[in-house]
Amino acid sequence: MIVWLNGTFGAGKTTTAHELLDLLPGSTLYDPELLGSGLRLMLPAKRFEEIDDYQDLPAWRRMVVDTAAALLTEVPGPLVTPMTLLRQEYRDEIFGALAARRIPVRHVLLHTEETILRERIAHREETPGDAETHASIRRWSLAHLAPYADALPWLRGDAHVVDTTRLTPRQAAEQVAEAVRTGAAACDIVQTPEPIAETLAAGVLLFDDQDRVLLVDPTYKAGWEFPGGVVERGEAPAQAGVREVAEELGIELPRALRLLVLDWEAPKPPGFGGLRLLYDGGTLTGDRISKLLLPGAELRDWRFVTESEAEKMLPPVRWNRLRWALRARERGCPLHLEAGVPLG
């Protein structure tokens, strides 16, 4: 298990984490910031000039998961992780990958009123006697207050909140420990095993009466997606698409779906690639749209979007696949792609 202590700078994550070690038997401090420091030493300096924060490095996000899994082979756990995580897509990527490793997450937000945060930041001294370094850290910490305020709406919905404004670190740790024991901080995410070889996946495009396409926002990975998923062993691809739509959205579709695109996705480490199929699920009436369901552990939101809106929301590979699927739908003829490029 991982007990992830989130919150902005000055909320008391590190001091609470050390107190929490005394309250959770077998617990170990796990600081992903050390991974960022390591990458800064190993990667070319130019790479860090391209980003604002080491969390923007895909390597860091993957290492957070891989290192946690490795640590849990050496210690009983839980891992107590004091780490600010304000980007929701990074939360999805990291927590989803942990869930795929069958590592439960307890997500706790240590929240503090801004006036108290500013006071703590003003009096925090990282390097005694070094006024220049202290001023730099202070400016950096204050600059993160606005992004934290922007992230608060999704953080409050995702994490168990402990208000540390008037709590000592020990008192905060006691509240966190109680939340962990009672399951109040459980972060339920669908567990989708990481692939170990090429996979076959089936997606379904659903439309409204304005010919906008339905996209869904998974909780377990970053970015918007089409309804659908991996085809199970011995399962027909079209049947898998029908099953996934029923499980994800509560919509029953006919088994005879029309194929729009078959795309071979090249392996790109750490991914294995495989075949990706997109089917036409037809147009949903207003009544059926009003009955769409969202399983909280799997999907956070759904939205009908135009083609141009989808381009801004989808990762490039999915956007390219959608673009060709829409052309195939217009022409009434399926397309065969290899690495996103039509054949023939």
Side-chain angles (χ1 to χ4, degrees):
M1 177 195 298
I2 286 188
V3 180
W4 195 290
L5 300 182
N6 208 342
T8 192
F9 305 95
K13 298 186 300 298
T14 301
T15 52
T16 299
H18 283 285
E19 294 287 351
L20 193 57
L21 296 177
D22 292 336
L23 301 174
L24 298 178
S27 59
T28 299
L29 185 69
Y30 171 38
D31 187 358
E33 190 169 346
L34 297 175
L35 303 177
S37 301
L39 284 171
R40 192 174 292 278
L41 295 173
M42 291 183 282
L43 290 176
K46 182 180 178 182
R47 182 68 181 98
F48 278 86
E49 294 172 2
E50 300 169 348
I51 60 174
D52 296 324
D53 191 295
Y54 59 72
Q55 291 192 8
D56 297 331
L57 293 169
W60 179 83
R61 301 192 296 274
R62 184 165 183 85
M63 286 173 64
V64 169
V65 177
D66 291 342
T67 305
L71 282 174
L72 288 171
T73 67
E74 302 286 346
V75 298
L79 302 180
V80 177
T81 307
M83 189 75 226
T84 300
L85 195 60
L86 303 183
R87 296 277 294 272
Q88 192 171 25
E89 62 269 32
Y90 293 171
R91 171 269 184 217
D92 294 348
E93 184 177 341
I94 293 170
F95 288 11
L98 289 168
R101 299 288 191 94
R102 302 297 189 264
I103 301 174
V105 178
R106 301 292 182 263
H107 190 196
V108 179
L109 173 65
L110 302 183
H111 175 71
T112 306
E113 294 175 4
E114 185 173 333
T115 52
I116 303 300
L117 282 174
R118 290 183 176 277
E119 184 178 328
R120 290 178 184 176
I121 291 171
H123 293 91
R124 183 173 174 175
E125 194 169 357
E126 299 284 347
T127 51
D130 189 341
E132 184 177 344
T133 299
H134 171 65
S136 175
I137 293 174
R138 181 174 178 271
R139 287 193 299 270
W140 189 81
S141 300
L142 290 172
H144 283 75
L145 291 181
Y148 172 67
D150 292 340
L152 260 180
W154 80 260
L155 284 171
R156 288 185 181 277
D158 192 76
H160 176 78
V161 181
V162 172
D163 192 327
T164 64
T165 302
R166 293 170 181 82
L167 297 180
T168 65
R170 184 69 178 192
Q171 291 170 331
E174 288 170 349
Q175 289 198 21
V176 174
E178 180 64 16
V180 171
R181 279 192 291 266
T182 61
C187 188
D188 294 324
I189 311 171
V190 65
Q191 295 181 334
T192 55
E194 290 190 339
I196 57 175
E198 290 183 329
T199 55
L200 173 61
V204 180
L205 301 185
L206 299 165
F207 300 87
D208 66 3
D209 58 7
Q210 300 178 50
D211 236 18
R212 297 178 302 178
V213 66
L214 179 68
L215 299 183
V216 294
D217 183 15
T219 61
Y220 56 90
K221 62 180 177 181
W224 289 76
E225 181 61 283
F226 322 112
V230 173
V231 179
E232 296 179 355
R233 186 179 181 88
E235 185 179 29
Q239 180 180 341
V242 171
R243 172 182 55 77
E244 288 284 351
V245 169
E247 291 176 358
E248 292 180 358
L249 301 169
I251 295 291
E252 297 292 339
L253 295 175
R255 297 298 174 104
L257 298 178
R258 183 163 65 96
L259 179 65
L260 295 175
V261 158
L262 183 152
D263 186 14
W264 174 76
E265 186 174 297
K268 184 179 179 181
F272 292 90
L275 287 179
R276 308 290 180 253
L277 286 76
L278 277 183
Y279 292 93
D280 187 350
T283 301
L284 299 180
T285 63
D287 181 60
R288 298 186 82 188
I289 292 172
S290 68
K291 295 177 182 177
L292 287 176
L293 302 176
L294 284 178
E298 187 166 358
L299 299 179
R300 181 183 294 112
D301 198 4
W302 58 266
R303 189 180 304 172
F304 282 99
V305 298
T306 63
E307 184 173 349
S308 60
E309 289 170 336
E311 183 178 9
K312 300 173 185 175
M313 297 168 64
L314 291 171
V317 170
R318 293 178 208 155
W319 153 245
N320 184 67
R321 195 171 296 140
L322 171 65
R323 180 170 65 95
W324 286 113
L326 294 177
R327 302 293 83 76
R329 185 170 182 257
E330 292 168 356
R331 299 169 186 172
C333 180
L335 287 172
H336 179 193
L337 313 179
E338 285 192 359
V341 178
L343 297 181

